[in-house]
């Protein structure tokens, strides 16, 4: 019973073997590997991709401090209490150094008796490919280890956050009263990605006004034809996360959106779109790596020297290098 815990296996295979039996430290180590990126991360992705298939991914986004984590914690205890094994990935694209740790600390929840939930925060750490590759890889790890659903919380309302949120099956946009939040969310492009709205801090004055603002914006987007192609009008749920009020209703709306997605075939389309985007991000990454490698080699240096001395233009040098690159055996040059 006492003494140091067992040493973790070093290999992704060994870690996954333990992670799927419920060993939380192994799950954590696998997530660290995919967060760092690189060859080991690719190995984890190879091992997990065919063990994962039908996990439900819920995005939770909205302005800083709107209550995403508090609300997420409520959903997690609700789900865990109901026999699910939820996992949370809290993503902070803007804070490469400290964001992850702070976020982790801010999600407070009782992960006690019988509750089998996993909470993990992830920052960019500046690695190659960044979050575009790490987030789907982490979702796959959770899925392979039997967690379902997965809630992805993103901080902030920039383009990166919107993109990450939009990779979910169902995206919840959290807005708060009295801050012009609904209008801000609209400006940030969140109206288009919202499948469900949570008006959180409904205990504060102006919550009903915020609800009306959203209804109005949804009416306008309907008139302009930008409403969801599948004809789904996002539900608006009033929540007070600090008290847990509205959390069951919010989950019910998330489930109802999922049912809608499945019924109209949009779930499969969204997931196919997600895979397409991930393949694209990986192509980008492979090409960037290949270009970096090529630029460090003598033929490229000659072209660059020619451009430096004014013999050829930089555009001509680049065009020659690209045609050299395309001439090469892609499988030999572009290896994962
Ligand atoms: N009055 C009130 N306060 C709330 C409610 N929900 C959250 N808060 C408070 O709002 C603050 C921010 O909550 P978080 O859950 O950390 O918000 P967040 O959106 O995850 O914040 P970031 O991750 O930093 O963007 C905390 O002090 C919460 O206690 C609510 O329904 N009512
Ligand atoms: Mg948070």
């Amino acid at each position: 019973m006492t003494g140091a815990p067992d040493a973790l296996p070093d290999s992704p295979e060994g870690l996954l073997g333990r992670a799927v039996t419920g060993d939380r430290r192994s799950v954590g180590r696998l997530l660290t590997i995919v967060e760092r990126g690189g060859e080991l991360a690719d190995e984890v992705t190879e091992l997990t991709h065919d063990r994962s298939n039908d996990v439900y991914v819920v995005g939770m986004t909205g302005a800083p401090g709107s209550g995403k984590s508090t609300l997420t914690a409520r959903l997690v205890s609700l789900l865990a209490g109901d026999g699910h094994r939820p996992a949370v990935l809290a993503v902070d694209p803007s804070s490469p150094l400290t964001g992850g740790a702070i976020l982790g600390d801010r999600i407070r929840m009782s992960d006690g008796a019988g509750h089998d939930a996993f909470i993990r925060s992830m920052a960019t750490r500046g690695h190659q490919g960044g979050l575009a590759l790490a987030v789907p890889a982490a979702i796959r790890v959770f899925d392979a280890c039997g967690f379902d659903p997965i809630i992805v919380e993103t901080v902030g309302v920039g383009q990166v956050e919107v993109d990450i949120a939009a990779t979910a099956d169902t995206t919840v946009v959290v807005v708060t009263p009295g801050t012009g939040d609904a209008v801000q969310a609209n400006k940030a492009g969140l109206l288009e990605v919202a499948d469900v709205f949570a008006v959180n801090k409904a205990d504060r004055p102006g919550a009903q006004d915020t609800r009306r603002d959203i209804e109005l914006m949804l009416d306008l987007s309907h008139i302009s034809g930008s409403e969801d192609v599948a004809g789904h009008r996002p539900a608006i749920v009033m929540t007070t996360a600090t008290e847990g009020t509205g959390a069951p209703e919010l989950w019910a709306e998330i489930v109802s959106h999922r049912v809608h997605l499945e019924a109209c075939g949009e779930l499969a389309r969204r997931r196919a779109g997600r895979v397409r985007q991930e393949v694209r991000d990986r192509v980008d990454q492979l090409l960037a790596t290949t270009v970096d490698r090529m630029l460090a080699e003598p033929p490229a240096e000659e072209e660059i020297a020619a451009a430096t001395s004014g013999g050829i233009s930089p555009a001509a040098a680049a065009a020659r290098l690209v045609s050299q690159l395309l001439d090469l055996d892609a499988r030999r040059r572009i290896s994962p």
Side-chain angles (χ1 to χ4, degrees):
M1 288 302 285
T2 55
D6 294 347
L8 285 179
D10 287 328
S11 70
E13 286 96 334
L15 287 168
L16 188 62
R18 283 175 60 157
V20 296
T21 66
D23 181 57
R24 302 174 65 86
R25 286 169 60 232
S26 298
V27 178
R29 182 67 61 86
L30 287 167
L31 292 168
T32 302
I33 291 174
V34 299
E35 184 180 25
R36 284 184 185 147
E39 275 173 32
L40 268 187
D42 290 342
E43 236 179 274
V44 173
T45 295
E46 284 308 312
L47 291 169
T48 48
H49 88 271
D50 58 357
R51 289 177 184 247
S52 47
N53 47 41
D54 198 28
V55 72
Y56 202 67
V57 181
V58 177
M60 186 73 78
T61 191
S66 53
K68 299 178 293 295
S69 297
T70 314
L71 205 48
T72 297
R74 289 290 178 183
L75 292 179
V76 164
S77 27
L78 199 76
L79 290 162
D82 231 14
H84 296 279
R85 290 184 78 208
V88 178
L89 191 62
V91 182
D92 191 347
S94 57
S95 307
L97 294 176
T98 54
I102 291 171
L103 259 168
D105 292 345
R106 283 178 70 176
I107 297 189
R108 301 251 176 255
M109 52 171 303
S110 54
D111 196 6
H115 285 193
D116 190 9
F118 204 104
I119 308 242
R120 172 69 182 224
S121 54
M122 186 174 267
T124 52
R125 304 257 163 96
H127 77 72
Q128 225 168 25
L131 293 168
L133 301 186
V135 168
I139 289 173
R140 222 170 263 126
V141 167
F142 278 135
D143 187 1
C145 297
F147 291 97
D148 192 7
I150 298 166
I151 301 177
V152 181
E153 177 192 339
T154 47
V155 174
V157 286
Q159 192 55 46
V160 184
E161 295 84 332
V162 172
D163 287 348
I164 294 172
T167 65
D169 296 315
T170 297
T171 300
V172 179
V173 172
V174 183
V175 292
T176 51
T179 52
D181 224 25
V183 176
Q184 287 305 321
N186 189 15
K187 282 191 189 147
L190 287 178
L191 199 65
E192 285 98 280
V193 299
D195 299 307
V196 180
F197 283 97
V199 176
N200 190 43
K201 309 198 184 181
D203 54 321
R204 293 199 174 163
Q208 287 304 330
D209 296 337
T210 301
R211 181 187 190 115
R212 261 195 307 278
D213 287 349
I214 298 169
E215 296 280 14
L216 198 65
M217 288 189 295
L218 289 174
D219 289 345
L220 291 171
S221 73
H222 177 64
I223 291 164
S224 70
S226 63
E227 196 177 3
D228 185 67
V229 281
H232 178 265
R233 183 179 169 106
I236 305 172
V237 185
M238 310 301 280
T239 60
T240 302
T242 37
E243 289 158 20
T245 318
E249 290 79 2
L250 177 59
W251 184 251
E253 288 298 348
I254 292 169
V255 170
S256 152
H257 179 253
R258 180 195 181 143
V259 169
H260 161 76
L261 285 182
E262 276 176 341
C264 67
E266 179 68 12
L267 185 64
R269 275 195 294 279
R270 280 189 184 200
R271 288 180 172 182
R274 200 151 79 195
V275 172
R276 165 177 287 270
Q277 184 58 45
E278 190 179 352
V279 170
R280 208 209 137 88
D281 289 334
R282 287 205 168 257
V283 168
D284 279 349
Q285 190 211 21
L286 285 177
L287 286 177
T289 311
T290 309
V291 168
D292 282 346
R293 215 186 305 149
M294 183 191 204
L295 286 179
E297 287 170 0
E301 275 162 9
E302 275 172 34
E303 299 292 349
I304 292 166
T308 307
S309 69
I312 57 170
S313 71
R320 281 196 213 176
L321 289 174
V322 170
S323 58
Q324 283 176 29
L325 192 64
L326 296 177
D327 278 346
L328 297 170
D329 173 3
R331 258 173 306 181
R332 186 167 56 83
R333 297 284 307 192
I334 305 178
S335 53

